[in-house]
């Protein structure tokens, strides 16, 4: 049963209609192959198309054995990926509040912990300072520490369906079922959306989770966006700029660590226009943070529209899930089929 709205809420049909725009924009970008969203985005983490390193000779017995082991491992991961997707969708429908909350919380701890371990081996663990991971941590704080703080859920809703949700499209997240790295990336950006959908539309008014800032009236779009920005996004942005880009800069460069800033500014559009902004690295980093913020502000505004319509929100979540499936299918049919055997 869907959650009951505050008694004073008068739904605007025009607002509900506009709320469908984000989902329609996602499908348009998927089918037209639009690239401008990716150019705008500064969220996400390192995505690698290469799933294995090294070369294997088919003439060597040891190499053939290694190929079989890798294929068995990938087959196992593929089976786990399929079961994970099926179980997650079933649980979201069967128990969107209690069951999915526990499943999401479990995977946040296990998968982000695993990513920290693997990324540390690759000198990429500074990616975990990115917004996407901290919004997942915010979900844990709300679910297990302050479930009666409706204002936190509203902030989480805006961030989960804003910067995180649009990162699926912007960073070409792909449902590559045999790749742990790709599946964790999909989880980080999609699971918070699913959690917000389950709680927003299925949490009971007398249940354990408060989802409204006020029980008397609905928060306006502008106030929702402003609150999410002031409570979480802007403080995180200042912390990231000071800690990662300034304080830890010497350590990062001396140890050749990879960071989100280095990754997104080393290729594509940012690498071309940043030198024209300023020759000062500090100003370039500040401009990077500004572009990051503008992307977050735009997508957060679109996310706030979804708060007012069950069907628009559902459409948006389905569109983003379809985007990840589409990208995964493109990977399997256009890349994987040609390159997998060579990478073995």
């Amino acid at each position: 049963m869907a959650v009951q709205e505050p008694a004073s809420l008068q739904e605007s049909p025009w607002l509900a209609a506009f709320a469908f725009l984000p989902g329609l924009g996602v499908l348009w970008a998927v089918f037209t192959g639009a690239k401008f969203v990716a150019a705008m985005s500064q969220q996400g983490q390192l995505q690698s198309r290469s799933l294995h390193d090294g070369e294997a000779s088919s003439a060597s017995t040891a190499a053939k054995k290694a190929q079989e082991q890798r294929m068995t491992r990938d087959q196992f991961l593929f089976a786990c990926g399929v079961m994970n997707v099926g179980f997650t969708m079933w649980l979201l429908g069967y128990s969107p509040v209690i069951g999915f909350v526990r499943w999401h919380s479990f995977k946040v701890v296990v998968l982000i912990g695993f990513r920290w371990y693997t990324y540390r081996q690759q000198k990429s663990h500074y990616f975990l300072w990115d917004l996407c991971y901290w919004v997942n941590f915010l979900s844990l704080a709300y679910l297990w520490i302050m479930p009666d703080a409706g204002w936190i859920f509203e902030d989480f809703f805006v961030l989960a369906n804003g910067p995180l949700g649009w990162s699926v499209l912007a960073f070409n997240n792909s449902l590559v079922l045999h790749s742990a790295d790709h599946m964790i990336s999909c989880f980080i950006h999609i699971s918070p959306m699913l959690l917000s959908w389950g709680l927003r539309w299925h949490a009971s008014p007398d249940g354990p989770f408060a989802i409204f800032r006020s029980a008397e009236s609905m928060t306006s779009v502008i106030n929702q966006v402003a609150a999410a920005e002031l409570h979480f996004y802007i403080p995180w942005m200042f912390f990231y700029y000071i800690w990662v880009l300034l304080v830890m800069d010497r350590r990062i460069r001396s140890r050749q660590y990879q960071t989100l800033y280095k990754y997104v500014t080393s290729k594509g559009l940012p690498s071309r226009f940043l030198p024209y902004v300023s020759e000062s690295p500090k100003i370039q980093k500040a401009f990077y943070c500004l572009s990051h913020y503008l992307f977050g502000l735009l997508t957060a505004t679109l996310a706030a529209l979804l708060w007012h319509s069950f069907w628009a929100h559902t459409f948006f979540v389905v569109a983003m899930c379809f985007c990840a499936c589409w990208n995964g299918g493109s990977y399997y049919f256009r890349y994987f089929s040609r390159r997998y055997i060579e990478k073995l």
Side-chain angles (χ1 to χ4, degrees):
M1 181 178 295
V3 65
Q4 298 179 7
E5 305 286 5
S8 62
L9 175 62
Q10 297 294 328
E11 188 65 70
S12 168
W14 286 106
L15 187 61
F18 276 114
F20 279 89
L21 292 178
L24 292 172
V26 172
L27 295 182
W28 172 79
V30 169
F31 287 115
T32 60
K35 301 299 183 182
F36 74 96
V37 177
M40 293 170 56
S41 174
Q42 306 296 334
Q43 272 73 38
Q45 66 291 316
L46 182 61
Q47 290 288 332
S48 174
R49 285 297 189 184
S50 178
L51 303 180
H52 302 295
D53 295 323
E55 300 179 354
S57 172
S58 59
S60 169
T61 303
K64 289 182 179 180
K65 184 176 181 179
Q67 289 178 359
E68 292 178 357
Q69 291 175 345
R70 289 181 177 180
M71 292 180 68
T72 300
R73 182 193 64 184
D74 289 346
Q75 187 174 356
F76 174 76
L77 291 175
F78 182 90
C80 290
V82 173
M83 296 298 293
N84 170 65
V85 171
F87 179 74
T88 298
M89 294 299 103
W90 170 81
L91 191 61
L92 181 63
Y94 179 75
S95 181
V97 177
I98 302 302
F100 190 82
V101 162
R102 294 173 179 174
W103 182 235
H104 168 82
S105 301
F106 171 76
K107 291 203 292 185
V108 167
V109 174
V110 173
L111 296 184
I112 293 183
F114 176 76
R115 168 152 285 184
W116 176 86
Y117 174 77
T118 57
Y119 270 26
R120 185 170 180 81
Q121 310 304 312
Q122 304 168 17
K123 296 186 176 182
S124 299
H125 53 291
Y126 274 79
F127 275 88
L128 272 69
W129 290 106
D130 186 48
L131 177 72
C132 304
Y133 298 93
W134 289 93
V135 173
N136 277 274
F137 297 149
L138 176 65
S139 71
L140 294 184
Y142 165 71
L143 295 173
W144 299 101
I145 301 176
M146 295 179 288
D148 57 343
W151 64 272
I152 295 182
F153 178 75
E154 290 198 19
D155 293 349
F156 169 73
F157 182 96
V158 170
L159 296 169
N161 295 277
L164 262 70
W166 285 93
S167 291
V168 175
L169 177 64
F171 280 88
N172 202 36
N173 283 173
S174 307
L175 198 68
V176 181
L177 296 167
H178 72 282
S179 168
D181 190 56
H182 281 77
M183 293 298 288
I184 292 175
S185 295
C186 286
F187 162 78
I188 289 170
H189 297 127
I190 294 177
S191 189
M193 281 194 302
L194 301 179
L195 176 67
S196 71
W197 181 89
L199 293 178
R200 172 64 181 93
W201 305 111
H202 296 280
S204 172
D206 56 353
F209 301 107
I211 64 171
F212 295 107
R213 194 179 306 272
S214 170
E216 289 75 28
S217 62
M218 181 68 70
T219 310
S220 68
V221 170
I222 294 178
N223 288 338
Q224 271 191 329
V225 174
E229 299 290 310
L230 292 174
H231 293 159
F232 195 86
Y233 201 112
I234 293 177
W236 169 84
M237 178 63 67
F238 275 105
F239 175 81
Y240 186 88
Y241 176 75
I242 295 174
W243 176 250
V244 177
L245 299 184
L246 297 183
V247 175
M248 302 301 294
D249 179 64
R250 179 176 298 179
R251 177 186 178 91
I252 290 171
R253 287 188 288 106
S254 65
R255 302 195 177 190
Q256 297 183 335
Y257 289 152
Q258 179 70 281
T259 64
L260 179 65
Y261 171 77
K262 181 179 179 181
Y263 175 69
V264 301
T265 58
S266 62
K267 59 184 67 177
L269 185 61
S271 64
R272 294 195 294 269
F273 73 76
L274 273 182
Y276 295 99
V277 174
S278 174
E279 295 182 358
S280 170
K282 291 184 179 180
I283 296 179
Q284 289 182 354
K285 292 173 181 178
F287 188 83
Y288 159 81
C289 289
L290 176 62
S291 63
H292 191 302
Y293 173 75
L294 293 177
F295 172 82
L297 180 63
L298 173 63
T299 56
T301 303
L302 296 176
L305 293 174
L306 303 175
W307 179 271
H308 299 273
S309 172
F310 166 80
W311 291 110
H313 190 201
T314 302
F315 180 64
F316 175 77
V317 172
V318 171
M320 282 301 181
C321 291
F322 177 81
C323 176
C325 294
W326 179 274
N327 292 338
S330 176
Y331 177 86
Y332 278 114
F333 287 104
R334 299 186 181 184
Y335 177 84
F336 177 77
S337 60
R338 298 194 304 266
R339 300 294 299 170
Y340 182 69
I341 299 300
E342 297 178 14
K343 290 297 180 180
L344 292 175

